[in-house]
Amino acid sequence: MRLPARDRRERLARAAADLFHERGYDAVSLRDIAARAGVPAGAVFYHFPTKAALATVAADAQLNRAEEILARAAEGRSPEERLTIIATGLAAGAPLAARHGCPIQRLARDLANGGEAERVARETCIRAATLLRTSVAAELKAGGVDADRADIAARDFTARWAGSAVLAFLAGDPAPMTDGIAAALNDLRTLLSSGSR
């Protein structure tokens, strides 16, 4: 049975994002993506005229994931609860990071030397990480932390999240990431309790 065009497009986008994360952008061919999606190779060109177009949807998926984490966090009743939801959402990616690294980092790095179309996708990856960082800073400020201290702490939290993803990948174990994010969250809680006095 032939899949509807929308389903084929979604399968191709998901296959591209997964393969770019697993193997790296340069190591993946359009034929690989079609095979993973279970669609004819010609279907790739119908939906995505270039590989860079697939990089764009893969980057959009990372931005969407960040936005989903933040949407869940917005339901929290306090800055501490919202920060906990953000940290929990990031830590949920630890098993995948242990296998293939952080998908945002990998795609952004792989696209660094690309052309204009790849640059747009890379900027979307950067926007995803920046959105998470600025949201952490906003929660700290909402909890009474001085703006400069909040911005520094948010950068530190983001760096620790990214670094813990690298450590999880190197170890092939999610624990360095989950432990690293938990420790970083604990430091944010400590800052909140001192900043709101």
Side-chain angles (χ1 to χ4, degrees), residues 79-105:
E80 181 176 347
E81 187 175 337
R82 291 188 290 272
L83 287 169
T84 300
I85 294 168
I86 292 169
T88 301
L90 294 173
L96 193 57
R99 287 194 304 276
H100 307 296
C102 173
I104 294 174
Q105 292 173 10

Side-chain angles (χ1 to χ4, degrees), residues 20-193:
F20 293 158
H21 185 207
E22 292 169 18
R23 299 184 195 169
Y25 181 72
D26 291 332
V28 176
S29 70
L30 296 177
R31 188 173 303 282
D32 294 333
I33 294 166
R36 172 70 66 92
V39 301
V44 178
F45 295 105
Y46 176 78
H47 294 285
F48 300 99
T50 64
K51 188 175 173 184
L54 284 159
T56 298
V57 297
D60 287 343
Q62 295 308 315
L63 180 58
N64 291 341
R65 181 172 178 269
E67 290 171 341
E68 288 167 7
I69 289 170
L70 296 175
R72 285 194 303 274
E75 298 171 5
R77 294 182 303 267
S78 68
E80 181 176 347
E81 187 175 337
R82 291 188 290 272
L83 287 169
T84 300
I85 294 168
I86 292 169
T88 301
L90 294 173
L96 193 57
R99 287 194 304 276
H100 307 296
C102 173
I104 294 174
Q105 292 173 10
R106 175 122 195 205
L107 190 57
R109 183 195 66 218
D110 287 355
L111 299 175
N113 296 319
E116 178 62 20
E118 286 87 1
R119 184 189 61 76
V120 170
R122 183 172 190 271
E123 287 175 358
T124 299
C125 290
I126 293 167
R127 196 163 62 247
T130 302
L131 179 61
L132 290 163
R133 178 183 52 78
T134 57
S135 297
V136 168
E139 292 303 336
L140 291 170
K141 292 170 193 173
V145 176
D146 169 80
D148 289 338
R149 286 180 70 201
D151 289 337
I152 291 167
R155 282 196 304 271
D156 180 62
F157 176 84
T158 305
R160 291 170 73 181
W161 157 55
S164 69
V166 171
L167 293 174
F169 176 64
L170 292 174
D173 180 1
M177 186 169 171
T178 54
D179 294 347
I181 290 173
L185 175 61
N186 189 54
D187 289 347
L188 294 182
R189 288 177 172 148
T190 300
L191 184 57
L192 271 176
S193 66

